[in-house]
Amino acid sequence: MPPFAVPLASGNLQGGADIATHPNDGSAGKVPACAERGPQILDICQLYEQGPVVLVLFVDAGGCPAVLGDLQTLAPAFPGVRFAVDAYVNFARQQPWQEAVCASLTELFAPQIHRQRLAGWPTHYPWIDASGLQYFRSRLPLATRDVEHGLKVTLGYFVTRQAQLRALDILQFKLDLLWSMLDAIQLKYGLNDG
């Protein structure tokens, strides 16, 4: 993700996004984005310095302040999720890139799942303006492209029996991480199976 800094939606700082990579970068900004710091500024570089980043972006479709408040209260509440994310990031850093691509195949059925979720969003989230869902709809063909590419890389790299067993181990590792995240969320909210 390219560097950027923006005013926080919950603050009163006004201005647009700074995407400059060096001083006086024309319309991108006067100050490099990574140099923008402050309590009312979201600086992606500053977040990266703290560890893995999960970034939630909203489209201008209403309801943003309420949802933002909910998300901010969740940040420190899920150490199990952060642990799982850290484990995944470390795996991707330490293993061959093809193994990280293989791990992404847990998303193989994501395009179909996202289509189903998008169909239900107007019912479950009526406060989101229909135009606000356009971004997510536009991601569907990209998600399909991404999983097809991941499958092609994986099938081309894991060609021996031993390598294919390694691929299965990688997928099991990723599934274990995803289950760990779900378990952490379930523990936090006391959800039951029924």
Side-chain angles (χ1 to χ4, degrees), residues 5-124:
V6 293
L8 287 174
S10 59
N12 56 14
L13 189 63
Q14 298 298 311
D18 180 349
I19 56 171
T21 56
H22 56 276
N24 299 314
D25 199 5
S27 63
K30 292 181 181 178
V31 176
C34 290
E36 299 273 9
R37 303 292 166 114
Q40 294 188 18
I41 297 173
L42 171 68
D43 179 338
I44 193 69
C45 302
Q46 187 175 10
L47 292 174
Y48 280 144
E49 291 166 7
Q50 299 169 14
V53 174
V54 175
L55 187 61
V56 178
L57 300 174
F58 297 98
V59 291
D60 188 14
C64 184
V67 175
L68 179 63
D70 291 345
L71 287 172
Q72 287 174 330
T73 62
L74 293 177
F78 293 99
V81 172
R82 182 163 185 133
F83 181 82
V85 170
D86 287 346
Y88 187 50
V89 169
N90 287 330
F91 168 81
R93 282 183 181 152
Q94 296 169 5
Q95 302 305 316
W97 66 268
Q98 294 92 341
E99 292 194 5
V101 170
C102 176
S104 76
L105 291 183
T106 56
E107 297 293 319
L108 195 58
F109 302 100
Q112 296 92 321
I113 294 168
H114 294 319
R115 269 188 206 86
Q116 292 170 346
R117 287 182 182 161
L118 276 169
W121 278 14
T123 302
H124 299 293

